[in-house]
Amino acid sequence: MSLYRNTVWFLKGLQEYTKGGYEAAARLFNEADLEVNVSGRSFIITGANSGIGKAAACEIAKRGGTVHMVCRNEDRANEARKDVVEQSKNENVHVHLVDMSSPRKVWEFASGFSQNHNLHVLINNAGCMVNQRELTEDGLEKNFATNTLGMYILTTALIPTLKKSENPRVITVSSGGMLVQKLNVEDLQFEKGSFDGTMAYAQNKRQQVIMTEQWAAQHKEIHFSSMHPGWADTPAVQSSMPDFHERMKNKLRTEAQGADTVVWLAISDAASRQPSGLFFQDRKAVSTHLPLASSRSSPAEDQKLMSKLEELATCPLYTLTNGFVVN
């Protein structure tokens, strides 16, 4: 990461990504955008047992949506469901246990879900930031497996189900941290050089934005978007970035503030009128690059990312015996 990108990004963050940044942006929000009833619409939210995912689940459930919480830990998931139901008075909240770092388990979930449920909105929120290079049982680097490949498989597998629904949407919770990274398609699993978990996470978030742009071009029937929630005070930030949290804790957004644009993208008519494939911050489409940052990848590099992900996703080691693979 260049010193220039780092400096410009941090100064931008102090102005825009904090609680004060949210409050300034919110003065221009149209609150009527979220005054909608989404009864009869089905939402998957990954990583929904805490933080932004749980806050989004609660807001959507309050408006009548059927919420499918995709979580890894059963106890925390059930506790989160109980909280969401109590706050929303909506019993149509369901827990699905999935390890997003396991390609086979993601395929299995998507296959079973598609056979038994409809789906209007997929919210890719699950993520991790592992600060030491760690491999999953499949031999995949853990940040990449969870943040990039797991999201790729889940979204790809559910696209046919989404296309059967009215006004389908896919929202991916990325991060403004991706602004400091240029796509590095030659080292997706961080096998070269020293490992930096924060930069691995930022690279994954850049990959998510590119995937969103590519899918938007390929699947016109679905509205795709990615977004930055700002710097929010979530359990993930507390555990993965303790020094940052300690320095910034008085300036961090609440979980609900971080989730606001997720909910807006998922349920508002205003969001669906925006072009597909854009990157949002505080209900506005924003640039995916800092000025003069030399972070743009070529169309060939973007396509190479998608090809490599497809190759990994359809590897016989990871797919199902019934051949449930979607191109």
Side-chain angles (χ1 to χ4, degrees), residues 195-321:
F195 181 81
D196 183 324
T198 303
M199 290 304 101
Y201 179 83
Q203 177 69 205
N204 295 157
K205 294 299 171 177
R206 170 63 72 187
Q207 292 160 4
Q208 290 179 345
V209 169
I210 291 170
M211 283 189 275
T212 296
E213 293 169 346
Q214 293 292 307
W215 281 323
Q218 294 167 11
H219 305 286
K220 305 292 189 183
E221 310 96 313
I222 301 173
H223 189 276
F224 289 88
S225 57
S226 57
M227 60 79 67
H228 175 39
W231 293 342
D233 192 352
T234 65
V237 170
Q238 294 166 27
S239 62
S240 298
M241 306 175 69
D243 294 341
F244 174 81
H245 181 266
E246 182 61 29
R247 291 198 310 270
M248 299 294 296
K249 60 185 178 184
N250 294 326
K251 297 180 182 296
L252 298 179
R253 299 179 177 202
T254 65
E255 294 171 346
Q257 289 171 340
D260 176 81
T261 296
V262 179
V263 177
W264 182 80
L265 288 167
I267 69 173
S268 75
D269 288 337
S272 67
R273 291 194 294 269
Q274 295 282 326
S276 184
L278 299 182
F279 178 69
F280 289 83
Q281 174 187 309
D282 293 332
R283 304 193 192 182
K284 283 178 58 179
V286 296
S287 176
T288 56
H289 300 278
L290 295 170
L292 306 175
S294 301
S295 57
R296 297 180 188 275
S297 50
S298 68
E301 288 171 319
D302 294 349
Q303 187 52 55
K304 190 170 184 179
L305 169 67
M306 301 302 283
S307 297
K308 285 192 170 186
L309 291 174
E310 182 177 2
E311 182 180 344
L312 280 169
T314 57
C315 172
L317 288 173
Y318 308 143
T319 52
L320 306 185
T321 55

Side-chain angles (χ1 to χ4, degrees), residues 117-180:
H117 304 279
N118 63 356
L119 179 63
H120 297 86
V121 181
L122 168 62
I123 299 174
N124 289 309
N125 169 72
C128 71
M129 185 191 295
V130 180
N131 288 310
Q132 302 293 324
R133 190 172 188 276
E134 189 178 314
L135 300 183
T136 68
E137 62 183 19
D138 297 306
L140 299 165
E141 192 278 319
K142 195 164 189 178
N143 293 292
F144 170 78
T146 305
N147 301 330
T148 300
L149 185 60
M151 172 201 150
Y152 175 87
I153 293 172
L154 183 63
T155 305
T156 302
L158 291 174
I159 281 173
T161 303
L162 284 160
K163 286 183 176 179
K164 297 174 184 176
S165 299
E166 182 182 357
N167 192 14
R169 310 184 193 189
V170 176
I171 298 102
T172 295
V173 180
S174 180
S175 169
M178 66 92 190
L179 292 169
V180 305

